[in-house]
Amino acid sequence: MKSYNEVAVGLKPSGIRKFFDIVSEMPDAISLGVGEPDFETPWHIAEEGIYSLEKGKTFYTSNSGLKELRQELAKMYSRKYHVDYDPLHECLVTVGGSEGIDLALRALCNPGDEVIIPEPCYVSYKPCAELIGATPVTIDLQEKNNFKLTEEELRAAITDKTKILILAFPNNPTGAIMTKEELEPIAKVCIEKDIYVLTDEIYAALNYGKNEHCCIASLPGMKERTIVINGFSKAYAMTGWRLGYAFAPAEICGLMTKIHQFAIMCAPTTSQYAAVEAVKNGDADIERMRVSYNERRRYLVKKLNEIGMPAFEPEGAFYIFPSIQRFGMTSEEFATRLLKQEKLAVVPGTAFGDSGEGFLRISYAYSMDRLKDAMGRIEHFISTL
């Protein structure tokens, strides 16, 4: 037999799914590991998808997606994030945000190009870069900086092979955000060094600080070098609908659409009709869920610090990243023992890069009752150490 693709063979399985798979086979176990809203898709959104099926709207859309959806997305980004896009030439509807990330990297990178990836980060960035022959260059973000990227860290990572910087704020797994003032020096470096930015904004709507989310594409000189990735999974509780979108300069968007055309054809039609309703009339749903997440966030910050697992205050997404360094265990060992002894699954920080060592990711996309149960189990576990 001939050999397989060496890069694919060498990819490590997701550290998130490992613990999820174990807990699914463990009676009475609870999980705070998966980043999936505990809310159901709002009914008026789901109903629009159902209605599209009843009306026989089950055909392919254009490769780029429903025109009406792209128009509504462009209006929304202009209204909320102050950056204007041409819905016909600068917007692409994708199968989740994950496909958008893959398309952007495939459209921009050649083998040997370097992709700067600040860590801890979402698990797919490095594999997507490696699968196209690009070289991931990681930056270990620091807890003392609340896991934000600094100008100095970025400059130190850039070489003459650097093609693109991946930004992901609000961040998974840390919950960190970056304000407009903090993004401005990053933008300055990207313009000076002539590098692209891929900004993953899947959690943009879940921001709890005083400052509204800032899209780096809205800063002077950045729209023409930025690919914006977003989606419906987190903000609208639509994970299973598998729908995302990308904004990019027309030439880059055209390349992404060409790849999407051959690999996917188009995103699911039913999901797109539901998404039109979500963008047009879903702001109140987002706010209802955001308020609930914020309540859970405040509870976890207070409780974790009380029981001796200090965590900086996350201002976005629905994750908290407490430190376990005082217990003298690796993140993997701590999470494994916690699961075995207390039947509670969390994710080791190392699932998101080496810089996550000494931390855990805890998702608060779960009910308050489950979170209180989980904190009781963690507190009992700590008392036995």
Side-chain angles (χ1 to χ4, degrees):
M1 296 288 289
K2 295 184 178 180
S3 61
Y4 303 119
N5 179 283
E6 293 179 0
V7 177
V9 170
L11 293 179
K12 296 180 181 179
S14 167
I16 302 174
R17 301 306 303 185
K18 171 185 174 181
F19 280 80
F20 178 77
D21 292 341
I22 294 173
V23 79
S24 67
E25 301 295 328
M26 186 179 289
D28 303 322
I30 63 175
S31 172
L32 302 183
V34 179
E36 181 170 38
D38 62 318
F39 299 99
E40 293 181 354
T41 302
W43 175 245
H44 68 102
I45 298 173
E47 188 176 39
E48 195 64 29
I50 295 168
Y51 181 70
S52 75
L53 292 173
E54 291 177 339
K55 298 298 288 185
K57 298 178 180 179
T58 56
F59 302 100
Y60 294 131
T61 68
S62 74
N63 297 133
S64 297
L66 284 173
K67 180 180 178 180
E68 183 183 3
L69 176 55
R70 287 179 283 144
Q71 289 172 330
E72 292 298 332
L73 288 168
K75 289 177 187 176
M76 184 265 286
Y77 248 75
S78 179
R79 172 170 53 88
K80 288 187 175 182
Y81 306 125
H82 318 298
V83 55
D84 296 322
Y85 287 99
D86 174 1
L88 299 184
H89 302 103
E90 296 180 322
C91 183
L92 169 64
V93 181
T94 61
V95 182
S98 296
E99 191 212 352
I101 294 163
D102 182 47
L103 291 175
L105 292 173
R106 286 205 269 172
L108 288 172
C109 293
N110 292 302
D113 285 344
E114 292 180 350
V115 178
I116 296 179
I117 305 174
E119 289 183 337
C121 69
Y122 177 53
V123 297
S124 78
Y125 304 141
K126 285 178 70 174
C128 284
E130 290 168 343
L131 283 167
I132 58 172
T135 303
V137 176
T138 58
I139 297 175
D140 292 343
L141 301 182
Q142 302 298 309
E143 183 184 21
K144 66 182 180 181
N145 297 326
N146 287 344
F147 296 103
K148 300 172 187 276
L149 177 64
T150 68
E151 177 183 354
E152 294 73 24
E153 290 170 330
L154 177 57
R155 286 189 180 277
I158 293 173
T159 73
D160 59 0
K161 294 182 180 180
T162 302
K163 176 64 72 73
I164 189 167
L165 163 68
I166 296 180
L167 288 178
F169 295 96
N171 182 264
N172 171 15
T174 66
I177 66 164
M178 289 190 70
T179 65
K180 178 176 181 288
E181 292 72 23
E182 291 163 339
L183 286 171
E184 285 173 338
I186 303 300
K188 177 183 175 182
V189 174
C190 292
I191 294 169
E192 176 189 330
K193 299 296 185 179
D194 191 25
I195 60 177
Y196 293 105
V197 173
L198 189 161
T199 176
D200 182 351
E201 306 198 343
I202 194 71
Y203 296 99
L206 301 178
N207 191 318
Y208 313 105
K210 297 178 181 178
N211 301 292
E212 66 177 15
H213 173 74
C214 176
C215 175
I216 196 170
S218 69
L219 301 182
M222 288 304 297
K223 181 185 170 185
E224 55 264 40
R225 65 179 65 251
T226 300
I227 301 91
V228 177
I229 304 296
N230 208 325
F232 293 83
S233 294
K234 314 301 182 179
Y236 299 98
M238 293 176 67
T239 52
W241 296 78
R242 301 313 306 133
L243 203 68
Y245 55 93
F247 290 115
E251 188 172 1
I252 297 173
C253 190
L255 291 174
M256 293 171 65
T257 303
K258 192 189 303 183
I259 301 167
H260 170 80
Q261 175 187 57
F262 291 121
I264 300 294
M265 179 63 75
C266 67
T269 302
T270 305
S271 300
Q272 293 189 57
Y273 279 108
V276 172
E277 171 65 16
V279 180
K280 291 173 71 172
N281 299 307
D283 282 1
D285 301 299
I286 293 174
E287 181 60 17
R288 172 177 57 86
M289 290 184 275
R290 193 191 69 83
V291 168
S292 182
Y293 291 139
N294 194 23
E295 178 187 4
R296 304 171 196 182
R297 179 185 72 97
R298 292 196 303 266
Y299 166 73
L300 282 182
V301 169
K302 182 175 184 292
K303 186 65 177 178
L304 286 167
N305 281 287
E306 285 177 352
I307 66 177
M309 289 176 61
F312 86 98
E313 183 173 356
E315 293 188 61
F318 41 57
Y319 308 105
I320 191 165
F321 207 57
S323 171
I324 56 157
Q325 295 172 26
R326 77 180 184 91
F327 299 109
M329 284 185 275
T330 66
S331 298
E332 182 87 11
E333 182 183 0
F334 189 101
T336 301
R337 288 180 58 180
L338 178 64
L339 179 58
K340 182 178 179 181
Q341 292 179 220
E342 301 292 337
K343 296 186 177 181
L344 174 64
V346 297
V347 184
T350 45
F352 309 95
D354 292 343
S355 61
E357 183 60 87
F359 298 88
L360 303 174
R361 189 193 78 170
I362 296 175
S363 169
Y364 49 90
Y366 297 92
S367 70
M368 186 64 82
D369 287 344
R370 177 170 288 195
L371 292 176
K372 289 180 178 179
D373 185 352
M375 288 303 102
R377 297 187 190 200
I378 289 178
E379 190 167 15
H380 180 262
F381 174 69
I382 290 174
S383 72
T384 67
L385 299 178

